[in-house]
Amino acid sequence: MNNTASILVLLFLAVTFVQSAYDKVFEWKGNVEWLKGHFAQTILKNYVPLALFIILALELITGIFTLVGCVELMVNGGKTYGKYGAIFSSVTLILLLLGQRLAKDYDGARTIAIYFVPSVLAVWWLS
């Protein structure tokens, strides 16, 4: 049980990113339409579907790495997959933060910053 905090943070990140990816896959059209409006006044306005696909791919990678990382920590105490999951999580959140800042959605950016804290803690704990 030496890795309890790391496992809990990885589970938090896994739930966050797997659920978000699930929503993007099954509500693709609605997400694209909403985001086109959200980014209408930004340099991303013509790239919304591509940007959403990139974020979806990163969220899936993050979710897989964090879930496998939990198993790895519980089975043999290994930290490799969890560390990569935490790194992908941090990179994904930075890209999401960039998007929110470009859209001047400062409340959305603040919310992303809250998720960034446990993500970076996981990188630190698993390094």
Side-chain angles (χ1 to χ4, degrees), residues 73-88:
L73 272 169
M74 290 186 280
V75 169
N76 64 16
K79 297 179 178 183
T80 303
Y81 288 99
K83 179 177 74 173
Y84 286 124
I87 291 168
F88 271 97

Side-chain angles (χ1 to χ4, degrees), residues 2-3 6 9 21 30 54 57 65 67-68 70 76 80 92 102-103 109 111-112 114 119 125:
N2 293 341
N3 297 309
S6 295
V9 172
I54 291 167
F65 273 135
L67 287 172
V68 173
C70 287
N76 64 16
T80 303
T92 303
L102 287 172
T111 300
I112 291 167
I114 294 167
S119 182
W125 288 336

Side-chain angles (χ1 to χ4, degrees), residues 49-113:
L50 175 62
L52 188 60
F53 178 77
I54 291 167
I55 294 298
L56 169 61
L58 288 169
E59 288 178 344
L60 287 171
I61 292 166
T62 300
I64 291 166
F65 273 135
T66 53
L67 287 172
V68 173
C70 287
V71 173
E72 182 186 32
L73 272 169
M74 290 186 280
V75 169
N76 64 16
K79 297 179 178 183
T80 303
Y81 288 99
K83 179 177 74 173
Y84 286 124
I87 291 168
F88 271 97
S89 170
S90 296
V91 170
T92 303
L93 289 166
I94 289 169
L95 291 174
L96 290 169
L97 177 69
L98 175 63
Q100 296 294 60
R101 298 292 297 190
L102 287 172
K104 297 185 180 1
D105 181 355
Y106 301 113
D107 285 335
R110 185 174 26 255
T111 300
I112 291 167

